[in-house]
Amino acid sequence: MTVPLSILDLAPVSAGSTPRQAIRNTIELARNAESWGYRRYWVAEHHFVSVAASATTELIALIAAATETIRVGSAAVQLGHHTSAAVVEAFGTIDALHPGRLDLGLGRSAHRSAQLRPTGAPAAPTPERPTEVRDGVVIPPPFSPGQVLDTTRLAASFDALHLPGAQPLDYGRQIGEIRALLDGTFTTADGIALHAVPGEGADVELWLFGSSGGESARLAGELGLPFAASYHVAPGTILETVEAYRAAFRPSERYPRPYLVVSADVVVAENDATAHRLASTYGHWVYSIRSGAGAAEYPDPDNTPPLTGQQRRLVHDRVTTQLVGSPSSVAARLSALQQLTGADELVITSVTHRHEDRLNSHRLLAREWGLPRVRAA
């Protein structure tokens, strides 16, 4: 029996389009995803770049209102940018109208995990570990945040997301606060009990997200929470991430055993040649991120020149691990990834310049994977 499939959406803005249209595209994809049998629809939080999912909780509310049964959630709320109370109250508000459908995914903010290189300093060398293929799955060398070419804009965006002088809480402590606010046991350092209204008692499922074998994977295991491991962003560390989660796992009331979701970036079309053409500007998009400029408007394959050799080297790990091709070829590679990691579920992200091609990618994959159709879209 195949494992469930879910969708991770960045609400990408395509070249020549607008954020308004990107949000409309997200709602249309979510409605179709529900009818095609996908289990969850998650949106990712990014700021000051050409994706329209920056106001994550507001977008989740819109998606929940536009659908009926599919689970909706965050992948993930970047905790360094939000207080615990704000997170719980926002999700509690959505849960009031859509009870039992929300996944509250939590992640470390990039500025707490990445070590920003001073402007003008040389980029870190590419790791020397060769690319491997394990049981049909490409495992490239890990990408280091120190390889980002220019961190000036990244640092400025971190500053703009915080009030002057504000310091983010310790990650583990903030997770503890959120859990306490949800279950009604939160007290301040002075021993004063505070209750999130709405939020306390909300029927949301808590998830942690991670891309390494570090704190997120360990905490998810120790707390007995489900965990989402990022193959699509950090393919070079996927195996150590999965192993760290399972090694740390302690059974909880809701999860007597580990529950692991692994992400993958795919583009599916009717045949391999078409899929590779549609995916031909994915490397350009990743390069815009790793150059330090931030995610650009997604380029049009019909008028975008090829990457240079230096540019290709910077994005090699992401391009070689994107699953591109016909429905059968992508499904085979997804199956290999699931078997290698032992994932209980796979979450798919697919970005193309034309919205119609993205819809088709998810539709073709759902049919090939054998997802149960809910109703005609």
Side-chain angles (χ1 to χ4, degrees), residues 243-291:
E243 291 166 4
Y245 169 58
R246 290 205 174 99
F249 190 83
R250 299 173 186 169
S252 61
E253 181 178 352
R254 194 168 213 176
Y255 287 93
R257 55 177 293 275
Y259 192 88
L260 174 71
V261 169
V262 172
S263 65
D265 203 310
V266 313
V267 173
V268 184
E270 284 76 7
N271 55 68
D272 288 347
T274 301
H276 281 282
R277 181 182 64 80
L278 297 177
S280 62
T281 52
Y282 177 71
H284 301 71
W285 190 64
V286 175
Y287 182 79
S288 71
I289 298 168
R290 291 185 171 177
S291 69

Side-chain angles (χ1 to χ4, degrees), residues 41-323:
Y41 198 96
W42 287 344
V43 292
E45 178 184 344
H46 295 279
H47 299 275
F48 304 116
V49 292
S50 292
V51 298
S54 54
T56 311
T57 51
E58 287 83 352
L59 186 55
I60 289 169
L62 294 172
I63 296 167
T67 54
E68 297 176 4
T69 58
I70 194 169
R71 294 193 65 88
V72 185
S74 53
V77 172
Q78 301 299 301
L79 286 187
H81 306 327
H82 309 274
T83 66
S84 305
V87 172
V88 172
E89 289 168 351
F91 273 76
T93 300
I94 304 170
D95 176 74
L97 293 183
H98 308 285
R101 290 180 56 200
L102 298 186
D103 295 329
L104 173 48
L106 304 175
R108 288 164 55 94
S109 302
H111 70 290
R112 296 204 288 195
S113 56
Q115 294 185 352
L116 299 183
R117 177 171 45 83
T119 302
T126 303
E128 295 183 0
R129 193 185 83 186
T131 296
E132 304 176 58
V133 178
R134 300 194 193 181
D135 299 331
V137 178
V138 178
I139 307 293
F143 180 84
S144 168
Q147 292 173 254
V148 174
L149 298 182
D150 185 351
T151 60
T152 306
R153 190 176 183 279
L154 190 61
S157 69
F158 293 157
D159 289 342
L161 289 168
H162 303 106
L163 293 172
Q167 293 295 322
L169 292 179
D170 172 79
Y171 181 58
R173 176 184 169 187
Q174 193 162 9
I175 291 171
E177 285 189 354
I178 288 171
R179 298 180 80 204
L181 285 163
L182 286 169
D183 65 25
T185 61
F186 179 81
T187 58
T188 67
D190 298 326
I192 300 171
L194 297 177
H195 300 274
V197 182
E200 186 174 310
D203 187 11
V204 302
E205 190 166 295
L206 203 61
W207 288 72
L208 297 191
F209 285 68
S211 57
S212 73
E215 187 176 16
S216 294
R218 177 181 57 79
L219 279 171
E222 290 177 353
L223 297 174
L225 295 173
F227 181 67
S230 180
Y231 178 72
H232 84 283
V233 169
T237 55
I238 185 61
L239 295 181
E240 67 186 59
T241 304
V242 168
E243 291 166 4
Y245 169 58
R246 290 205 174 99
F249 190 83
R250 299 173 186 169
S252 61
E253 181 178 352
R254 194 168 213 176
Y255 287 93
R257 55 177 293 275
Y259 192 88
L260 174 71
V261 169
V262 172
S263 65
D265 203 310
V266 313
V267 173
V268 184
E270 284 76 7
N271 55 68
D272 288 347
T274 301
H276 281 282
R277 181 182 64 80
L278 297 177
S280 62
T281 52
Y282 177 71
H284 301 71
W285 190 64
V286 175
Y287 182 79
S288 71
I289 298 168
R290 291 185 171 177
S291 69
E297 294 182 348
Y298 199 84
D300 185 346
D302 292 339
N303 56 30
T304 302
L307 292 171
T308 67
Q310 181 274 334
Q311 290 172 329
R312 286 196 301 271
R313 286 190 291 274
L314 191 66
V315 301
H316 174 78
D317 62 320
R318 294 283 296 275
V319 172
T320 56
T321 55
Q322 188 186 31
L323 282 53

